[in-house]
Amino acid sequence: GIRSGSSQMTSLTFVLPPLFDYFATFLWALSGAIVGMHKRYDMAGVCVIALLAATGGSTLRDGLFLNQLPPVLTDVWYVPLILLAALVVQFFRQRIAGMRLIDNLINLIDAIGVPAFAVVGMQLSLAARIPIPGVVLIGMVNGFGGGILRDLMVGDTPAALKPGRFYVSAAFLVCV
C-alpha cells in the first residue's frame, strides 16, 4: 500500500493481503484438526487442537511481544476458518485415517504454514518498529508457536524440535 506522510512525501510499504494470513490460519487449523483426529479426539477436541494450532503463534506474538489483541479476537473470519478446517477434516476423516503417511501430510502442511506465519509476524513487528533481531524472533515465534503448542497439547514432542528436522534452522535463515 501507499502511505502519505505529513510532509507531502509518499513512501511505499509492502503489506501482505489478508488472504495470505487467512490461508496460513486455515493451513495450521488443518494440521491441528488432523493431529486431533489422528489422536482419536472427538469433534470438540479436534476443534480445540485446530484452534490452538491456528492461533497459538499469533496469540504468543501479540500477547508477549506486540501488546495487542490477537486476530482471533478481532477478526470475524478466524473462528469460522478454523471451524471449516475441522469440518473438512471430519468430512475426509475416513480417507485421512486410512493414510499410512499421516505424519508426512502434517509435515507438508507445517512446511507451508511455518514460513507463511513467520512472514506475517515479521511484517507486523516491522510495522511496530521493532529492531531487526526482534523482528526475527517474533517471526520465529509466530511461525512455530502454534505447531509447538499443538504438539505439546496432544502429548507429543514438538515436531520442529525432533532430531533430523531442520525447520527451526531453515526458518531462522529465511527470517534473517
Side-chain angles (χ1 to χ4, degrees), residues 14-49:
F14 174 73
V15 177
L16 290 170
L19 286 178
F20 187 87
D21 191 28
Y22 295 149
F23 177 71
T25 300
F26 185 77
L27 281 178
W28 273 115
L30 274 178
S31 80
I34 291 168
V35 168
M37 184 229 33
H38 189 62
K39 293 288 186 174
R40 300 182 187 271
Y41 292 174
D42 66 7
M43 189 59 181
V46 167
C47 288
V48 166
I49 301 303

PDB file of all heavy atoms in Angstrom, residues 14-49:
ATOM      1  N   PHE A  14       5.262  -2.500   1.879  1.00  0.00           N
ATOM      2  CA  PHE A  14       4.742  -3.791   1.469  1.00  0.00           C
ATOM      3  C   PHE A  14       3.769  -4.270   2.537  1.00  0.00           C
ATOM      4  O   PHE A  14       4.094  -4.299   3.714  1.00  0.00           O
ATOM      5  CB  PHE A  14       5.884  -4.786   1.320  1.00  0.00           C
ATOM      6  CG  PHE A  14       5.412  -6.188   1.041  1.00  0.00           C
ATOM      7  CD1 PHE A  14       4.892  -6.513  -0.199  1.00  0.00           C
ATOM      8  CD2 PHE A  14       5.477  -7.161   2.005  1.00  0.00           C
ATOM      9  CE1 PHE A  14       4.455  -7.803  -0.461  1.00  0.00           C
ATOM     10  CE2 PHE A  14       5.047  -8.446   1.757  1.00  0.00           C
ATOM     11  CZ  PHE A  14       4.533  -8.765   0.520  1.00  0.00           C
ATOM     12  N   VAL A  15       2.570  -4.626   2.134  1.00  0.00           N
ATOM     13  CA  VAL A  15       1.560  -5.126   3.056  1.00  0.00           C
ATOM     14  C   VAL A  15       1.012  -6.429   2.491  1.00  0.00           C
ATOM     15  O   VAL A  15       0.587  -6.481   1.340  1.00  0.00           O
ATOM     16  CB  VAL A  15       0.417  -4.101   3.254  1.00  0.00           C
ATOM     17  CG1 VAL A  15      -0.653  -4.662   4.159  1.00  0.00           C
ATOM     18  CG2 VAL A  15       0.956  -2.793   3.794  1.00  0.00           C
ATOM     19  N   LEU A  16       1.067  -7.469   3.314  1.00  0.00           N
ATOM     20  CA  LEU A  16       0.510  -8.750   2.893  1.00  0.00           C
ATOM     21  C   LEU A  16      -1.002  -8.645   2.779  1.00  0.00           C
ATOM     22  O   LEU A  16      -1.646  -8.041   3.633  1.00  0.00           O
ATOM     23  CB  LEU A  16       0.844  -9.839   3.903  1.00  0.00           C
ATOM     24  CG  LEU A  16       2.296 -10.269   3.968  1.00  0.00           C
ATOM     25  CD1 LEU A  16       2.517 -11.173   5.173  1.00  0.00           C
ATOM     26  CD2 LEU A  16       2.694 -10.988   2.702  1.00  0.00           C
ATOM     27  N   PRO A  17      -1.567  -9.254   1.757  1.00  0.00           N
ATOM     28  CA  PRO A  17      -3.027  -9.245   1.662  1.00  0.00           C
ATOM     29  C   PRO A  17      -3.629 -10.100   2.780  1.00  0.00           C
ATOM     30  O   PRO A  17      -3.020 -11.095   3.196  1.00  0.00           O
ATOM     31  CB  PRO A  17      -3.313  -9.843   0.288  1.00  0.00           C
ATOM     32  CG  PRO A  17      -2.073 -10.552  -0.115  1.00  0.00           C
ATOM     33  CD  PRO A  17      -0.933  -9.931   0.637  1.00  0.00           C
ATOM     34  N   PRO A  18      -4.807  -9.741   3.264  1.00  0.00           N
ATOM     35  CA  PRO A  18      -5.439 -10.535   4.328  1.00  0.00           C
ATOM     36  C   PRO A  18      -5.611 -12.001   3.951  1.00  0.00           C
ATOM     37  O   PRO A  18      -5.535 -12.875   4.811  1.00  0.00           O
ATOM     38  CB  PRO A  18      -6.797  -9.865   4.528  1.00  0.00           C
ATOM     39  CG  PRO A  18      -6.616  -8.467   4.027  1.00  0.00           C
ATOM     40  CD  PRO A  18      -5.600  -8.560   2.923  1.00  0.00           C
ATOM     41  N   LEU A  19      -5.809 -12.307   2.676  1.00  0.00           N
ATOM     42  CA  LEU A  19      -5.971 -13.700   2.258  1.00  0.00           C
ATOM     43  C   LEU A  19      -4.748 -14.542   2.592  1.00  0.00           C
ATOM     44  O   LEU A  19      -4.864 -15.734   2.848  1.00  0.00           O
ATOM     45  CB  LEU A  19      -6.276 -13.779   0.759  1.00  0.00           C
ATOM     46  CG  LEU A  19      -7.676 -13.353   0.351  1.00  0.00           C
ATOM     47  CD1 LEU A  19      -7.839 -13.437  -1.164  1.00  0.00           C
ATOM     48  CD2 LEU A  19      -8.734 -14.186   1.047  1.00  0.00           C
ATOM     49  N   PHE A  20      -3.576 -13.940   2.593  1.00  0.00           N
ATOM     50  CA  PHE A  20      -2.351 -14.662   2.941  1.00  0.00           C
ATOM     51  C   PHE A  20      -2.429 -15.149   4.383  1.00  0.00           C
ATOM     52  O   PHE A  20      -2.138 -16.309   4.682  1.00  0.00           O
ATOM     53  CB  PHE A  20      -1.138 -13.735   2.742  1.00  0.00           C
ATOM     54  CG  PHE A  20       0.179 -14.423   2.921  1.00  0.00           C
ATOM     55  CD1 PHE A  20       0.777 -15.069   1.854  1.00  0.00           C
ATOM     56  CD2 PHE A  20       0.814 -14.423   4.147  1.00  0.00           C
ATOM     57  CE1 PHE A  20       2.000 -15.705   2.006  1.00  0.00           C
ATOM     58  CE2 PHE A  20       2.030 -15.057   4.314  1.00  0.00           C
ATOM     59  CZ  PHE A  20       2.628 -15.701   3.239  1.00  0.00           C
ATOM     60  N   ASP A  21      -2.839 -14.277   5.291  1.00  0.00           N
ATOM     61  CA  ASP A  21      -2.984 -14.638   6.701  1.00  0.00           C
ATOM     62  C   ASP A  21      -4.097 -15.671   6.882  1.00  0.00           C
ATOM     63  O   ASP A  21      -3.951 -16.628   7.642  1.00  0.00           O
ATOM     64  CB  ASP A  21      -3.264 -13.383   7.529  1.00  0.00           C
ATOM     65  CG  ASP A  21      -3.170 -13.633   9.024  1.00  0.00           C
ATOM     66  OD1 ASP A  21      -2.418 -14.544   9.440  1.00  0.00           O
ATOM     67  OD2 ASP A  21      -3.843 -12.919   9.786  1.00  0.00           O
ATOM     68  N   TYR A  22      -5.193 -15.512   6.173  1.00  0.00           N
ATOM     69  CA  TYR A  22      -6.292 -16.480   6.266  1.00  0.00           C
ATOM     70  C   TYR A  22      -5.862 -17.852   5.762  1.00  0.00           C
ATOM     71  O   TYR A  22      -6.216 -18.884   6.333  1.00  0.00           O
ATOM     72  CB  TYR A  22      -7.512 -15.999   5.482  1.00  0.00           C
ATOM     73  CG  TYR A  22      -8.146 -14.732   6.020  1.00  0.00           C
ATOM     74  CD1 TYR A  22      -8.772 -13.846   5.173  1.00  0.00           C
ATOM     75  CD2 TYR A  22      -8.129 -14.429   7.374  1.00  0.00           C
ATOM     76  CE1 TYR A  22      -9.360 -12.691   5.649  1.00  0.00           C
ATOM     77  CE2 TYR A  22      -8.704 -13.272   7.867  1.00  0.00           C
ATOM     78  CZ  TYR A  22      -9.328 -12.407   6.998  1.00  0.00           C
ATOM     79  OH  TYR A  22      -9.909 -11.276   7.477  1.00  0.00           O
ATOM     80  N   PHE A  23      -5.073 -17.870   4.691  1.00  0.00           N
ATOM     81  CA  PHE A  23      -4.566 -19.123   4.146  1.00  0.00           C
ATOM     82  C   PHE A  23      -3.674 -19.822   5.169  1.00  0.00           C
ATOM     83  O   PHE A  23      -3.807 -21.018   5.422  1.00  0.00           O
ATOM     84  CB  PHE A  23      -3.806 -18.860   2.844  1.00  0.00           C
ATOM     85  CG  PHE A  23      -3.174 -20.082   2.247  1.00  0.00           C
ATOM     86  CD1 PHE A  23      -3.954 -21.077   1.678  1.00  0.00           C
ATOM     87  CD2 PHE A  23      -1.795 -20.233   2.237  1.00  0.00           C
ATOM     88  CE1 PHE A  23      -3.373 -22.208   1.121  1.00  0.00           C
ATOM     89  CE2 PHE A  23      -1.207 -21.356   1.683  1.00  0.00           C
ATOM     90  CZ  PHE A  23      -1.994 -22.346   1.126  1.00  0.00           C
ATOM     91  N   ALA A  24      -2.769 -19.064   5.779  1.00  0.00           N
ATOM     92  CA  ALA A  24      -1.879 -19.633   6.801  1.00  0.00           C
ATOM     93  C   ALA A  24      -2.692 -20.141   7.991  1.00  0.00           C
ATOM     94  O   ALA A  24      -2.423 -21.226   8.519  1.00  0.00           O
ATOM     95  CB  ALA A  24      -0.859 -18.589   7.248  1.00  0.00           C
ATOM     96  N   THR A  25      -3.693 -19.396   8.410  1.00  0.00           N
ATOM     97  CA  THR A  25      -4.544 -19.803   9.529  1.00  0.00           C
ATOM     98  C   THR A  25      -5.282 -21.094   9.199  1.00  0.00           C
ATOM     99  O   THR A  25      -5.341 -22.017  10.017  1.00  0.00           O
ATOM    100  CB  THR A  25      -5.555 -18.684   9.859  1.00  0.00           C
ATOM    101  OG1 THR A  25      -4.824 -17.502  10.216  1.00  0.00           O
ATOM    102  CG2 THR A  25      -6.484 -19.074  10.989  1.00  0.00           C
ATOM    103  N   PHE A  26      -5.826 -21.175   8.002  1.00  0.00           N
ATOM    104  CA  PHE A  26      -6.545 -22.375   7.583  1.00  0.00           C
ATOM    105  C   PHE A  26      -5.607 -23.583   7.546  1.00  0.00           C
ATOM    106  O   PHE A  26      -5.957 -24.671   7.996  1.00  0.00           O
ATOM    107  CB  PHE A  26      -7.199 -22.149   6.213  1.00  0.00           C
ATOM    108  CG  PHE A  26      -8.053 -23.290   5.760  1.00  0.00           C
ATOM    109  CD1 PHE A  26      -9.318 -23.482   6.290  1.00  0.00           C
ATOM    110  CD2 PHE A  26      -7.591 -24.190   4.805  1.00  0.00           C
ATOM    111  CE1 PHE A  26     -10.118 -24.538   5.876  1.00  0.00           C
ATOM    112  CE2 PHE A  26      -8.378 -25.251   4.382  1.00  0.00           C
ATOM    113  CZ  PHE A  26      -9.641 -25.425   4.929  1.00  0.00           C
ATOM    114  N   LEU A  27      -4.379 -23.391   7.024  1.00  0.00           N
ATOM    115  CA  LEU A  27      -3.411 -24.491   6.982  1.00  0.00           C
ATOM    116  C   LEU A  27      -3.086 -25.012   8.378  1.00  0.00           C
ATOM    117  O   LEU A  27      -3.079 -26.215   8.619  1.00  0.00           O
ATOM    118  CB  LEU A  27      -2.117 -24.050   6.295  1.00  0.00           C
ATOM    119  CG  LEU A  27      -2.123 -24.002   4.791  1.00  0.00           C
ATOM    120  CD1 LEU A  27      -0.784 -23.506   4.278  1.00  0.00           C
ATOM    121  CD2 LEU A  27      -2.447 -25.365   4.202  1.00  0.00           C
ATOM    122  N   TRP A  28      -2.801 -24.096   9.305  1.00  0.00           N
ATOM    123  CA  TRP A  28      -2.478 -24.529  10.668  1.00  0.00           C
ATOM    124  C   TRP A  28      -3.684 -25.181  11.324  1.00  0.00           C
ATOM    125  O   TRP A  28      -3.528 -26.143  12.087  1.00  0.00           O
ATOM    126  CB  TRP A  28      -1.967 -23.366  11.511  1.00  0.00           C
ATOM    127  CG  TRP A  28      -0.495 -23.174  11.380  1.00  0.00           C
ATOM    128  CD1 TRP A  28       0.140 -22.096  10.847  1.00  0.00           C
ATOM    129  CD2 TRP A  28       0.536 -24.080  11.783  1.00  0.00           C
ATOM    130  NE1 TRP A  28       1.495 -22.287  10.889  1.00  0.00           N
ATOM    131  CE2 TRP A  28       1.767 -23.494  11.466  1.00  0.00           C
ATOM    132  CE3 TRP A  28       0.540 -25.336  12.380  1.00  0.00           C
ATOM    133  CZ2 TRP A  28       2.991 -24.108  11.728  1.00  0.00           C
ATOM    134  CZ3 TRP A  28       1.758 -25.944  12.640  1.00  0.00           C
ATOM    135  CH2 TRP A  28       2.963 -25.339  12.315  1.00  0.00           C
ATOM    136  N   ALA A  29      -4.870 -24.681  11.052  1.00  0.00           N
ATOM    137  CA  ALA A  29      -6.076 -25.314  11.604  1.00  0.00           C
ATOM    138  C   ALA A  29      -6.233 -26.723  11.040  1.00  0.00           C
ATOM    139  O   ALA A  29      -6.602 -27.650  11.770  1.00  0.00           O
ATOM    140  CB  ALA A  29      -7.309 -24.464  11.296  1.00  0.00           C
ATOM    141  N   LEU A  30      -5.941 -26.910   9.749  1.00  0.00           N
ATOM    142  CA  LEU A  30      -5.987 -28.246   9.158  1.00  0.00           C
ATOM    143  C   LEU A  30      -5.014 -29.185   9.868  1.00  0.00           C
ATOM    144  O   LEU A  30      -5.367 -30.314  10.210  1.00  0.00           O
ATOM    145  CB  LEU A  30      -5.621 -28.195   7.671  1.00  0.00           C
ATOM    146  CG  LEU A  30      -6.703 -27.901   6.667  1.00  0.00           C
ATOM    147  CD1 LEU A  30      -6.109 -27.848   5.255  1.00  0.00           C
ATOM    148  CD2 LEU A  30      -7.839 -28.892   6.745  1.00  0.00           C
ATOM    149  N   SER A  31      -3.788 -28.717  10.084  1.00  0.00           N
ATOM    150  CA  SER A  31      -2.801 -29.580  10.735  1.00  0.00           C
ATOM    151  C   SER A  31      -3.252 -29.939  12.145  1.00  0.00           C
ATOM    152  O   SER A  31      -3.126 -31.086  12.567  1.00  0.00           O
ATOM    153  CB  SER A  31      -1.410 -28.948  10.734  1.00  0.00           C
ATOM    154  OG  SER A  31      -1.249 -27.995  11.747  1.00  0.00           O
ATOM    155  N   GLY A  32      -3.792 -28.969  12.867  1.00  0.00           N
ATOM    156  CA  GLY A  32      -4.287 -29.252  14.213  1.00  0.00           C
ATOM    157  C   GLY A  32      -5.453 -30.216  14.205  1.00  0.00           C
ATOM    158  O   GLY A  32      -5.525 -31.144  15.027  1.00  0.00           O
ATOM    159  N   ALA A  33      -6.367 -30.034  13.260  1.00  0.00           N
ATOM    160  CA  ALA A  33      -7.526 -30.932  13.170  1.00  0.00           C
ATOM    161  C   ALA A  33      -7.086 -32.349  12.803  1.00  0.00           C
ATOM    162  O   ALA A  33      -7.613 -33.325  13.350  1.00  0.00           O
ATOM    163  CB  ALA A  33      -8.527 -30.389  12.143  1.00  0.00           C
ATOM    164  N   ILE A  34      -6.117 -32.469  11.913  1.00  0.00           N
ATOM    165  CA  ILE A  34      -5.625 -33.800  11.538  1.00  0.00           C
ATOM    166  C   ILE A  34      -4.951 -34.474  12.723  1.00  0.00           C
ATOM    167  O   ILE A  34      -5.168 -35.662  12.987  1.00  0.00           O
ATOM    168  CB  ILE A  34      -4.671 -33.716  10.320  1.00  0.00           C
ATOM    169  CG1 ILE A  34      -5.466 -33.319   9.075  1.00  0.00           C
ATOM    170  CG2 ILE A  34      -3.939 -35.033  10.100  1.00  0.00           C
ATOM    171  CD1 ILE A  34      -4.598 -32.936   7.885  1.00  0.00           C
ATOM    172  N   VAL A  35      -4.139 -33.721  13.460  1.00  0.00           N
ATOM    173  CA  VAL A  35      -3.488 -34.287  14.650  1.00  0.00           C
ATOM    174  C   VAL A  35      -4.543 -34.715  15.666  1.00  0.00           C
ATOM    175  O   VAL A  35      -4.475 -35.813  16.224  1.00  0.00           O
ATOM    176  CB  VAL A  35      -2.485 -33.287  15.269  1.00  0.00           C
ATOM    177  CG1 VAL A  35      -2.038 -33.735  16.652  1.00  0.00           C
ATOM    178  CG2 VAL A  35      -1.279 -33.108  14.358  1.00  0.00           C
ATOM    179  N   GLY A  36      -5.537 -33.867  15.906  1.00  0.00           N
ATOM    180  CA  GLY A  36      -6.607 -34.213  16.841  1.00  0.00           C
ATOM    181  C   GLY A  36      -7.375 -35.448  16.404  1.00  0.00           C
ATOM    182  O   GLY A  36      -7.686 -36.332  17.210  1.00  0.00           O
ATOM    183  N   MET A  37      -7.663 -35.543  15.106  1.00  0.00           N
ATOM    184  CA  MET A  37      -8.363 -36.708  14.579  1.00  0.00           C
ATOM    185  C   MET A  37      -7.498 -37.956  14.713  1.00  0.00           C
ATOM    186  O   MET A  37      -7.971 -39.003  15.116  1.00  0.00           O
ATOM    187  CB  MET A  37      -8.725 -36.483  13.113  1.00  0.00           C
ATOM    188  CG  MET A  37      -9.533 -37.597  12.517  1.00  0.00           C
ATOM    189  SD  MET A  37      -8.975 -38.245  10.917  1.00  0.00           S
ATOM    190  CE  MET A  37      -7.241 -38.126  10.889  1.00  0.00           C
ATOM    191  N   HIS A  38      -6.214 -37.804  14.400  1.00  0.00           N
ATOM    192  CA  HIS A  38      -5.276 -38.928  14.486  1.00  0.00           C
ATOM    193  C   HIS A  38      -5.137 -39.440  15.929  1.00  0.00           C
ATOM    194  O   HIS A  38      -4.943 -40.632  16.148  1.00  0.00           O
ATOM    195  CB  HIS A  38      -3.917 -38.497  13.928  1.00  0.00           C
ATOM    196  CG  HIS A  38      -2.953 -39.603  13.761  1.00  0.00           C
ATOM    197  ND1 HIS A  38      -3.164 -40.666  12.914  1.00  0.00           N
ATOM    198  CD2 HIS A  38      -1.750 -39.828  14.350  1.00  0.00           C
ATOM    199  CE1 HIS A  38      -2.144 -41.489  12.982  1.00  0.00           C
ATOM    200  NE2 HIS A  38      -1.272 -41.014  13.839  1.00  0.00           N
ATOM    201  N   LYS A  39      -5.273 -38.531  16.896  1.00  0.00           N
ATOM    202  CA  LYS A  39      -5.217 -38.913  18.314  1.00  0.00           C
ATOM    203  C   LYS A  39      -6.567 -39.435  18.807  1.00  0.00           C
ATOM    204  O   LYS A  39      -6.748 -39.695  19.980  1.00  0.00           O
ATOM    205  CB  LYS A  39      -4.791 -37.716  19.168  1.00  0.00           C
ATOM    206  CG  LYS A  39      -3.367 -37.264  18.937  1.00  0.00           C
ATOM    207  CD  LYS A  39      -2.405 -38.259  19.524  1.00  0.00           C
ATOM    208  CE  LYS A  39      -0.990 -37.734  19.431  1.00  0.00           C
ATOM    209  NZ  LYS A  39      -0.044 -38.605  20.127  1.00  0.00           N
ATOM    210  N   ARG A  40      -7.535 -39.539  17.892  1.00  0.00           N
ATOM    211  CA  ARG A  40      -8.884 -40.057  18.164  1.00  0.00           C
ATOM    212  C   ARG A  40      -9.697 -39.166  19.108  1.00  0.00           C
ATOM    213  O   ARG A  40     -10.485 -39.640  19.914  1.00  0.00           O
ATOM    214  CB  ARG A  40      -8.809 -41.480  18.700  1.00  0.00           C
ATOM    215  CG  ARG A  40      -8.147 -42.434  17.745  1.00  0.00           C
ATOM    216  CD  ARG A  40      -8.148 -43.839  18.313  1.00  0.00           C
ATOM    217  NE  ARG A  40      -7.371 -44.734  17.494  1.00  0.00           N
ATOM    218  CZ  ARG A  40      -7.832 -45.432  16.464  1.00  0.00           C
ATOM    219  NH1 ARG A  40      -9.079 -45.320  16.108  1.00  0.00           N
ATOM    220  NH2 ARG A  40      -7.042 -46.225  15.786  1.00  0.00           N
ATOM    221  N   TYR A  41      -9.495 -37.854  18.994  1.00  0.00           N
ATOM    222  CA  TYR A  41     -10.296 -36.920  19.778  1.00  0.00           C
ATOM    223  C   TYR A  41     -11.681 -36.815  19.157  1.00  0.00           C
ATOM    224  O   TYR A  41     -11.863 -37.030  17.959  1.00  0.00           O
ATOM    225  CB  TYR A  41      -9.651 -35.538  19.809  1.00  0.00           C
ATOM    226  CG  TYR A  41      -8.348 -35.461  20.577  1.00  0.00           C
ATOM    227  CD1 TYR A  41      -7.599 -34.294  20.578  1.00  0.00           C
ATOM    228  CD2 TYR A  41      -7.855 -36.532  21.312  1.00  0.00           C
ATOM    229  CE1 TYR A  41      -6.412 -34.196  21.276  1.00  0.00           C
ATOM    230  CE2 TYR A  41      -6.672 -36.445  22.015  1.00  0.00           C
ATOM    231  CZ  TYR A  41      -5.957 -35.284  21.988  1.00  0.00           C
ATOM    232  OH  TYR A  41      -4.788 -35.188  22.691  1.00  0.00           O
ATOM    233  N   ASP A  42     -12.664 -36.454  19.981  1.00  0.00           N
ATOM    234  CA  ASP A  42     -13.991 -36.196  19.428  1.00  0.00           C
ATOM    235  C   ASP A  42     -13.971 -34.857  18.700  1.00  0.00           C
ATOM    236  O   ASP A  42     -12.946 -34.170  18.675  1.00  0.00           O
ATOM    237  CB  ASP A  42     -15.063 -36.248  20.527  1.00  0.00           C
ATOM    238  CG  ASP A  42     -14.928 -35.144  21.562  1.00  0.00           C
ATOM    239  OD1 ASP A  42     -14.093 -34.218  21.398  1.00  0.00           O
ATOM    240  OD2 ASP A  42     -15.672 -35.195  22.557  1.00  0.00           O
ATOM    241  N   MET A  43     -15.096 -34.486  18.104  1.00  0.00           N
ATOM    242  CA  MET A  43     -15.136 -33.269  17.290  1.00  0.00           C
ATOM    243  C   MET A  43     -14.767 -32.029  18.099  1.00  0.00           C
ATOM    244  O   MET A  43     -14.085 -31.141  17.589  1.00  0.00           O
ATOM    245  CB  MET A  43     -16.515 -33.113  16.636  1.00  0.00           C
ATOM    246  CG  MET A  43     -16.582 -32.016  15.616  1.00  0.00           C
ATOM    247  SD  MET A  43     -15.390 -32.276  14.286  1.00  0.00           S
ATOM    248  CE  MET A  43     -15.701 -30.840  13.310  1.00  0.00           C
ATOM    249  N   ALA A  44     -15.188 -31.964  19.353  1.00  0.00           N
ATOM    250  CA  ALA A  44     -14.827 -30.806  20.190  1.00  0.00           C
ATOM    251  C   ALA A  44     -13.316 -30.766  20.395  1.00  0.00           C
ATOM    252  O   ALA A  44     -12.696 -29.696  20.307  1.00  0.00           O
ATOM    253  CB  ALA A  44     -15.554 -30.873  21.529  1.00  0.00           C
ATOM    254  N   GLY A  45     -12.710 -31.912  20.656  1.00  0.00           N
ATOM    255  CA  GLY A  45     -11.263 -31.972  20.834  1.00  0.00           C
ATOM    256  C   GLY A  45     -10.514 -31.603  19.568  1.00  0.00           C
ATOM    257  O   GLY A  45      -9.496 -30.902  19.614  1.00  0.00           O
ATOM    258  N   VAL A  46     -11.020 -32.056  18.431  1.00  0.00           N
ATOM    259  CA  VAL A  46     -10.416 -31.710  17.140  1.00  0.00           C
ATOM    260  C   VAL A  46     -10.465 -30.195  16.941  1.00  0.00           C
ATOM    261  O   VAL A  46      -9.490 -29.575  16.525  1.00  0.00           O
ATOM    262  CB  VAL A  46     -11.127 -32.454  15.984  1.00  0.00           C
ATOM    263  CG1 VAL A  46     -10.744 -31.887  14.629  1.00  0.00           C
ATOM    264  CG2 VAL A  46     -10.813 -33.949  16.052  1.00  0.00           C
ATOM    265  N   CYS A  47     -11.594 -29.583  17.282  1.00  0.00           N
ATOM    266  CA  CYS A  47     -11.736 -28.125  17.142  1.00  0.00           C
ATOM    267  C   CYS A  47     -10.780 -27.381  18.076  1.00  0.00           C
ATOM    268  O   CYS A  47     -10.184 -26.367  17.685  1.00  0.00           O
ATOM    269  CB  CYS A  47     -13.172 -27.694  17.407  1.00  0.00           C
ATOM    270  SG  CYS A  47     -14.320 -28.145  16.092  1.00  0.00           S
ATOM    271  N   VAL A  48     -10.614 -27.870  19.295  1.00  0.00           N
ATOM    272  CA  VAL A  48      -9.713 -27.217  20.249  1.00  0.00           C
ATOM    273  C   VAL A  48      -8.273 -27.269  19.736  1.00  0.00           C
ATOM    274  O   VAL A  48      -7.554 -26.263  19.767  1.00  0.00           O
ATOM    275  CB  VAL A  48      -9.823 -27.860  21.651  1.00  0.00           C
ATOM    276  CG1 VAL A  48      -8.682 -27.434  22.558  1.00  0.00           C
ATOM    277  CG2 VAL A  48     -11.162 -27.512  22.279  1.00  0.00           C
ATOM    278  N   ILE A  49      -7.841 -28.435  19.255  1.00  0.00           N
ATOM    279  CA  ILE A  49      -6.473 -28.558  18.756  1.00  0.00           C
ATOM    280  C   ILE A  49      -6.296 -27.723  17.492  1.00  0.00           C
ATOM    281  O   ILE A  49      -5.248 -27.076  17.300  1.00  0.00           O
ATOM    282  CB  ILE A  49      -6.089 -30.034  18.525  1.00  0.00           C
ATOM    283  CG1 ILE A  49      -6.221 -30.834  19.827  1.00  0.00           C
ATOM    284  CG2 ILE A  49      -4.681 -30.163  17.953  1.00  0.00           C
ATOM    285  CD1 ILE A  49      -5.388 -30.301  20.991  1.00  0.00           C
TER     286      ILE A  49
END
